[in-house]
Amino acid sequence: MHKKKLVVLTGAGISAESGIKTFRDSGGLWEGHDVMEVASPEGWRRNQDLVQEFYNLRRKQMYECQPNLAHRILAELEEHYEVQIITQNVDDLHERAGSSQVLHLHGELRKAQSSLDPKLVYDLDHWEIKKGDKCAKGSQLRPHVVWFGEPVPKMLDAIELAQQADIFVIVGTSLEVYPAASLVSYVPDQAEIFVVDPNIPSSKLHHRAKHLVLPATQGLENLKKILLKP
């Protein structure tokens, strides 16, 4: 039997319950830093040491955190659906929970990239990128993260996935980060849309969306019952 395609857009809210800190909750400050200091090409040019240290600590924290029930439910749903996750998160909790199809829109903490050629990307097996760690072309490695003002190279792939959805689910994102927030506009007319998030104002919601006003773990427990009901 052909499985229906379940496309899930996830944001910081799904990882928050694993203890991963989100920066949008703290007035644009992230661990006491202005976001543009640590998440923009200008910040990198101004102070590479600060940016590296910031992401090294994010990476270290990620390895200390574990996937939560929400991540595990999405992995379990692969038994019943063709599940494709599009995540705005740079952590690897979806993969560690067992999800097999994960598209990272904003890059991955587990990887480093060349500061000269963004196509040169390397897997990391440790939490630290050090000064002097270089790419094949001899330039300093930087975090493999899409910063403010940089293009989102995987966006076209994500649009294509949204266009194929039978069911489209949004979990733990305030739909304020563009272009990711626009993905719902590509979902086919006949597809069902669910939103799991306690904080999205109804004005932001797609007119067809069913809204579960709950944190990710509780919301996905409820959604699983809806999706699997005989």
Side-chain angles (χ1 to χ4, degrees):
M1 196 181 91
H2 177 66
K3 287 180 178 174
K4 281 188 167 180
K5 194 171 183 85
L6 174 65
V7 180
V8 188
L9 173 66
T10 68
I14 194 168
S15 294
E17 290 185 73
S18 287
I20 299 239
K21 294 193 171 118
T22 64
F23 70 88
R24 298 216 162 243
D25 297 344
S26 47
L29 289 177
W30 207 356
E31 300 284 294
H33 297 292
D34 180 289
V35 165
M36 298 315 269
E37 275 178 44
V38 290
S40 72
E42 296 73 35
W44 171 252
R45 282 195 289 274
R46 266 199 303 274
N47 193 341
Q48 285 191 17
D49 292 347
L50 172 73
V51 175
Q52 291 286 30
E53 182 196 21
F54 177 79
Y55 287 96
N56 285 341
L57 291 174
R58 300 273 74 65
R59 208 174 288 110
K60 187 165 186 273
Q61 183 201 26
M62 173 183 82
Y63 286 131
E64 289 161 1
C65 290
Q66 297 303 319
N68 62 50
L69 180 62
H71 296 104
R72 292 196 298 274
I73 286 171
L74 291 177
E76 285 162 17
L77 285 169
E78 290 191 13
E79 287 172 38
H80 309 275
Y81 290 91
E82 186 193 330
V83 181
Q84 173 68 56
I85 291 168
I86 303 167
T87 186
Q88 299 177 58
N89 300 335
V90 292
D91 61 61
D92 64 350
L93 297 177
H94 283 301
E95 286 90 344
R96 278 197 269 152
S99 286
S100 61
Q101 301 290 324
V102 185
L103 176 88
H104 284 268
L105 269 183
H106 295 155
E108 297 179 65
L109 275 177
R110 284 193 312 186
K111 297 180 176 175
Q113 76 184 51
S114 162
S115 48
L116 186 70
D117 179 355
K119 290 197 231 6
L120 289 178
V121 176
Y122 304 89
D123 289 317
L124 292 171
D125 56 2
H126 51 284
W127 61 271
E128 207 171 7
I129 300 177
K130 294 193 175 82
K131 199 171 194 159
D133 289 351
K134 295 199 161 66
C135 75
K137 293 182 177 175
S139 81
Q140 173 65 42
L141 290 178
R142 57 161 266 190
H144 180 51
V145 171
V146 175
W147 288 329
F148 290 101
E150 292 186 321
V152 181
K154 298 257 172 91
M155 192 61 197
L156 290 174
D157 298 340
I159 288 171
E160 206 171 301
L161 291 169
Q163 289 169 333
Q164 297 164 8
D166 296 306
I167 302 166
F168 191 78
V169 179
I170 296 165
V171 185
T173 167
S174 58
L175 295 179
E176 286 180 10
V177 178
Y178 281 85
S182 65
L183 281 172
V184 69
S185 60
Y186 294 95
V187 173
D189 289 343
Q190 65 280 13
E192 286 187 277
I193 300 173
F194 294 92
V195 175
V196 177
D197 193 279
N199 303 318
I200 297 186
S202 51
S203 61
K204 280 245 159 79
L205 287 179
H206 191 278
H207 62 97
R208 289 205 327 275
K210 300 179 180 76
H211 190 191
L212 305 179
V213 189
L214 291 164
T217 46
Q218 285 172 278
L220 281 173
E221 278 188 290
N222 285 16
L223 182 65
K224 182 180 168 183
K225 287 183 193 131
I226 295 169
L227 293 178
L228 299 186
K229 69 170 181 284

